[in-house]
Amino acid sequence: MLICFSYDFPNISGVFLIRIFLNFNFLQTNAIKTSKYNFFTFLPLNLFEQFQRIANAYFLVLLVLQLIPEISSLSWFTTVVPLALVLTVTAAKDATDDIFSFQADLLLLSSSEPLNLVYIETAELDGETNLKVKQALPVTGDLGDDIEKLADFNGKNQRWCIYSITSTLLFALILQIFGSLVFMCTILAIGNYIWEVKNGSNFTVFLQREDSAGFSAFLTFWSYIIILNTVVPISLYVSVEIIRLGNSFYIDWDRKMYYSRSDTPAEARTTTLNEELGQIKYVFSDKTGTLTQNIMIFNKCSINGKSYGEIRRLNAGFKPKTHKDPVDFSFNALADPRFVFYDHTLVEAVKLENPEVHAFFRLLALCHTVMAEEKKEGELHYQAQSPDEGALVTAARNFGFVFRSRTPDSISIVEMGNQRSYELLAILDFNNVRKRMSVIVRSPEGKLSLYCKGADTIIYERLHQSCSKLMDVTTDHLNEFAGEGLRTLALAYKDLDEEYFSRWRERHHEASTSLEDKESKLDELYEEIEKDLLLLGATAIEDKLQDGVPQTIEQLAKADIKIWVLTGDKQETAENIGYSCNLLREEMKDVFVVLGHSPEDVRQELRNAQNAMKPDGAANSLLLTEEKSENLLKDEEANGEYGLVINGHSLAYALESSMELDFLRTACLCKAVICCRVTPLQKAQVVELVKKYKKAVTLAIGDGANDVSMIKAAHIGVGISGQEGMQAVLSSDYSFAQFRFLQRLLLVHGRWSYLRMCKFLRYFFYKNFTFTFVHFWFAFFCGFSAQTVYDEWFITLYNLMYTALPVLGMSLFDQDVNDVWSFQHPQLYIPGQLNLYFSKTAFFKCAVHSCYSSLVLFFIPYAALQDTVRGDGKDVADYQSFALLTQTCLLFAVSIQLGLEMSYWTAVNTFFVLGSLAMYFAVTFTMYSNGMFLIFPSAFPFIGSARNSLNQPNVWLTIILTSILCVLPVVTCRFLLIQLCPTINDKVRQAKATPPPPPRRSRIRRTSSRRSGYAFSHAQGYGDLVTSGRFLRRPAVPRASGFPQVGRAATGFSPMGRSAGYSPTGRPQNLKVPDVEVTSLQMYRTFSDGAP
C-alpha cells in the first residue's frame, strides 16, 4: 500500500512527496539506514564480496585443489591459515568502515513550489547557514503529486570508478605474474613428462601406479600451481591497505597541518590515494577562499569622481601613504566596532549630507539580499549569501545607512538616525549572464527608484550618455584599484515614472507566471528597464591572500608541479592575484592573454603563443603517441618561462573537440595557467582534458560548492574548510584549513607515502619471488615430483610471521630525508612524477635480482651439504637438513636486503627485524623438538633437525656466504651509481649540514592599467527567495527609530575581519585564540593579528 502526504519540515519550504509502505498492517518508520550490513548479514555478505575479488577467489581455488590427494603435496593449512587471516583483517576493516560511515541522501522528486523549488538550511550538515535553493529534475517534477507515476518512474544509474595509478600498474603486474606462474608450471609439467618417460619405469617396483606419463604431467602442473602460488602473494593487498591506513593516520595526526584559529586538523578522508600524492603533476586550484581568505574588507570606493579610502598592509610589505588614525564612528550607535576605515574625508562628506555620497550608501543599504537579525536592541547580525555583500552592507551600516530589517515587500533602514521604510516592488535577480542585480523601491515620500550594482563593464553599457565624463574618471579609479588587486562593483541608479512602471510591472507579472520561456521573457524586461542609468561610483573590496600562499606556490613550482587557477572572478582580479601569490612572475618572458570572441580568434591566439614558446615546432604539429589505444600529448619544453591567462568565453571555444589539443599544448608549455570567469562545469572540463591527454596525476583544490565538480573530476580532490561551508570538504579525498598545508601534504606526506609504497612493493616481490624460485630450481633435482624445498610450517609462516612485520615497519616509518630537507629540496619530488621508483623497469630488475638470489640460495647450500659430514662423522646431507639450511639462508638474505632498503632506522624497525629473526629460531626449535613430534607426529616430522644442524660451524659459514653473495651485487651497483651518476636523493643524503632556510620574498606592489576584479559571487534564485518571505523566522525586535547620540555600542555582528572583513558563516574571524604551540613551517612569515 502506498500513501502520499506532505510534511512541514521546519527548515524546508515546499512539499516533499514521501512514500510509506504498509506491510502486514504495520506502518514502517521513516528511519534511514546507511549501513551495508547488520548482525546477521555481515558474515555471508562480506565473504561474498571478498570472494568476488580475483586474488581471494584464486586462493580459494587453490584450497580446493589442495584437498585433492593426487594433486597436492602440501597440507591444507598452508593455504587456509593465510587466507583466513586475510579474510579476517579485511572483514574487520569493512565492519569498521560500515559502523563509522554516515552517508545519507535525499532525492527531491517534486515540490508544490513553482519550478519545483525548495529552500533548505543545511547548517547541521555542512556548516552553511544560508538557505540553499534546490530544484527537482524536470522529468520527475512534471509528475507532480501523482504517486503512481512516481512509483513507476525508472531512472538510470551511472557509476564512476577512479582507480589509483599505482593500483592499476600493480593489477597489471599481478596478471603478468600469474602468466609467469602458468609458464613455469608448464615447463615443470613438461619436465615431469620427460622424466616419467625416461626414468619413471625404474621406480614402478616400489611406486606402483597405472597413470600414464601424460596424466602424471597434468597432475604435476596443478601440483606446482599450488607450490608456486606464493609468487602471487595472498597477503599483498592486505599489507597495502595497512600501509595506506598508517600513512593516512600520519596526515590526521600532523600537528604542522593543524590550524589553531579554527581548530581544524588535516583529514585524510580516503586511504587509497596516499602514494598518488607523491606523483602530482598538475594542481587545479580555485582562487576565492582557497588562495585568498574569502574575508572581504571594504577598503576603497569612488563616489562621483572622487576616490576615498586607503589600504593598510604593513605585514605584507606595503606602506601606507599616510599615517592617519582609523575613522571614529562613535556618531553612529549602530556601527560595527570591527569595521576599520582610514579616510576621514568620506565620513565628513556623509556628515555634510553630500547628496551623491548619501545616494551611494543608500544604494548599498537597499540593493542586496542580505538578511538581518536583531535579537536585542542594536545587536545586528547579518546573514549574506556572499561575503562581498556582507562587507558592502556593513560599510553602509557604519557610514550611517543601516539596513535593519526586511519583509517580502519592504526594507527598513536607518538613514543618519532616521528610521525609514522603503517599499520593495521588485528584485531583478543576479545570474552569471546578467552579472548584476537591481531593486526597485518606493521611498516614504513616494519616489520610485531603481538601484543597480554589478560588473563595471556591464553597468557601463547601460549608463546614460550624460555620464561619459564621470565614467572616464571612475575608470581611472578602477584601474588604480586593479593594481592593488581589489574586487570592484559599479553602482548606478535611475528614477522611474509611475505610469511606465505600472505597465512594466504588469508585464513582469505575466512573464514571471509564464509557463514557457519564462527566463528569456524576464531577461527582456530587465534589459528594458535597466538602461539610461546614472553612475554613482564604484566599490573596492580586498580579498586577502592566505598566509604562506606565495611560498607554497613557489615551492610547488620548484617541484615541477604545474598550477592552474580556475576561478569565476574577472580576468583582472585573477591576474593580479596571480602576481601577488608568485604564480605569475615579473621574470617570466611573457604572459599570454587569450580573449578571442570567436573560434578563429581563439585558435590564432593559441597558435601565436605556441610559436612564441617553441619557434622550431609547427603550430599544428601535435606530438601524439599511440599507447594502449589512447592518444597522449607528450611533454614539451618551452624556450623560457611563460604564463597563460584565458577568459571564460574564450575557454568555451578552446574546450571544443576541434581546438582542445591546441589549448592543452599551449597551456602545458606554460609554467602557470589562469582560467577566469569559468563556470563549475568548465572547471571540470579542464581537469578532464588534462586527464585525457596527459599521462599525469591531477589534484584539484577548492573550498566551495562551485568547486565540487572540479574536485570530483581530478584524480585527487582536496577541500579547504573555510568560509564557504563544507560541501567541498565532503566531496574531497583530503581536507585542511589553509592552502599552505598543500605543500606539506605533497612534498612530505605524499612523497614519503609514494617512496614507502614503492619500496614495499619492490621488496615484497623480491622476497616472494626469491622464496618461490628456489622451488623451481629444486624441481630439476627431485624428478619434478612437486616436492617442496621448505618445511610446510615455514611455508605457512613465511609471509605471516617471519617477514610481515619488518616490511611493514619499513613501509610505515622509512624516510629518505626528513621533512625540513624535503622542503629545502623540492626537486626530490620529481622522481615520483616520473614514476621512477616503481615501474615495469623496476619490476623487471626486481625479478632478475630475485632470480639471482634464488640461484645462490639453492645451489650454495646444495653444494655445501653434498657429501658433507658432521664433526663426529655422521652424515648431515639429508633432505630435512638441506631444507632447514635453505630456509635459514633465505630469511637472513631477505632480512639483510631489507636493511639495505631502509634509509631511516627507528627502534620499531630494529625491533621488527631482529624480533622476526628471533621468532624464527624460537618457532623452529619448538616445532622441531621432540615434544611436538610426540604430540603430532605427522604434522611435525622435522624432529631434531634444528639442534643437529644449527650447531655446526659449516652451516653458519654457509649462511654467511650465501647472505653475502645475495647482497653483494646490490651493494656494488649502488656504490657505482652513487659515485658515477648520483641522484638528487643521494646528493641530499650526503649533505654535511642543513642548508640555510630560503630567503623571504616580499610582495612587489604592481601598478596596472587592467580593470579590477568583479566582487560578486551570487547564485541565481535569491531574489525570489527574498520576496517569498520564507526565510523570515521571527518578527523584528521593537526599537527606537533614531540614533542616540552616545558612544559606540557593541553590536553582535561577529563575522568581521581584521578591518571590516565579513564571513557568511557567522563565525568570529578575529577572536584572539589561546596560546598554542606554533605549528606553521618555520619558513613562513608570521603575520600578527593586531591592527595594521
Side-chain angles (χ1 to χ4, degrees), residues 20 261 463 468 486 593 602 732 789 936:
I20 305 295
R261 293 184 183 179
L463 293 179
S468 57
L486 303 180
V593 180
V602 174
S732 66
V789 71
F936 304 104

Side-chain angles (χ1 to χ4, degrees), residues 700-704 707-714 716-719 728 731-733:
I701 179 171
D703 74 313
D707 302 317
V708 169
S709 58
M710 174 181 70
I711 288 174
K712 290 186 175 181
I716 297 176
V718 177
S731 302
S732 66
D733 302 304

Side-chain angles (χ1 to χ4, degrees), residues 620-640:
N620 58 354
S621 61
L622 295 177
L623 303 179
L624 297 177
T625 60
E626 291 288 335
E627 182 171 324
K628 296 183 179 178
S629 72
E630 292 183 0
N631 291 328
L632 296 177
L633 186 63
K634 282 187 174 180
D635 291 334
E636 300 179 83
E637 291 294 333
N639 59 1

Side-chain angles (χ1 to χ4, degrees), residues 68-303:
I68 304 176
E70 290 80 6
I71 293 180
S72 179
S73 59
L74 282 173
S75 300
W76 57 270
F77 58 78
T78 58
T79 298
V80 168
V81 174
L83 181 60
L85 181 62
V86 169
L87 295 177
T88 301
V89 173
T90 306
K93 179 181 179 296
D94 292 343
T96 303
D97 292 342
D98 193 54
I99 292 173
F100 292 102
S101 64
F102 301 97
Q103 298 177 358
D105 293 307
L106 280 178
L107 175 63
L108 176 61
L109 298 179
S110 62
S111 170
S112 60
E113 292 295 289
L115 300 178
N116 291 297
L117 293 175
V118 294
Y119 306 100
I120 305 174
E121 182 183 283
T122 59
E124 295 183 359
L125 296 177
D126 56 19
E128 298 191 14
T129 57
N130 306 313
L131 297 183
K132 306 297 186 303
V133 179
K134 302 297 180 182
Q135 185 176 24
L137 293 174
V139 68
T140 59
D142 294 343
L143 300 179
D145 58 354
D146 192 325
I147 301 301
E148 293 183 358
K149 291 182 179 180
L150 286 170
D152 294 337
F153 174 75
N154 290 321
K156 293 182 180 181
N157 181 31
Q158 185 175 13
R159 287 188 170 182
W160 288 86
C161 186
I162 299 178
Y163 290 96
S164 162
I165 291 180
T166 304
S167 299
T168 304
L169 175 60
L170 181 59
F171 181 74
L173 293 178
I174 291 295
L175 293 180
Q176 295 180 14
I177 292 171
F178 184 77
S180 302
L181 171 63
V182 173
F183 177 73
M184 288 190 297
C185 293
T186 301
I187 292 178
L188 297 180
I190 294 174
N192 177 266
Y193 175 81
I194 297 174
W195 190 89
E196 286 289 344
V197 171
K198 291 186 176 181
N199 304 313
S201 59
N202 299 332
F203 298 90
T204 56
V205 176
F206 54 89
L207 290 176
Q208 297 182 1
R209 59 184 180 185
E210 300 177 356
D211 299 337
S212 64
F215 186 70
S216 176
F218 174 77
L219 295 179
T220 300
F221 173 84
W222 293 107
S223 297
Y224 275 110
I225 287 288
I226 296 173
I227 292 176
L228 303 181
N229 75 80
T230 49
V231 77
V232 185
I234 187 174
S235 58
L236 174 62
Y237 287 100
V238 173
S239 301
V240 167
E241 290 300 321
I242 294 175
I243 294 168
R244 287 172 171 171
L245 182 62
N247 287 321
S248 297
F249 281 138
Y250 290 152
I251 297 174
D252 295 340
W253 296 338
D254 192 344
R255 298 186 65 185
K256 294 182 179 180
M257 296 175 67
Y258 168 74
Y259 191 57
S260 59
R261 293 184 183 179
S262 60
D263 190 25
T264 305
E267 181 182 6
R269 300 173 58 83
T270 181
T271 62
T272 59
L273 298 174
N274 296 330
E275 60 271 16
E276 303 290 307
L277 292 173
Q279 300 175 274
I280 301 298
K281 182 66 175 179
Y282 292 90
V283 170
F284 302 92
S285 174
D286 179 39
K287 183 191 75 67
T288 304
T290 303
L291 301 179
T292 61
Q293 297 181 19
N294 200 20
I295 299 176
M296 306 305 173
I297 303 171
F298 183 90
N299 274 332
K300 286 192 172 186
C301 62
S302 173
I303 305 176

Side-chain angles (χ1 to χ4, degrees), residues 338-359:
R338 294 180 176 85
F339 182 88
V340 180
F341 200 77
Y342 289 95
D343 193 340
H344 294 259
T345 59
L346 182 56
V347 73
E348 292 172 0
V350 171
K351 292 180 179 179
L352 292 175
E353 299 184 358
N354 184 301
E356 289 81 10
V357 173
H358 277 212

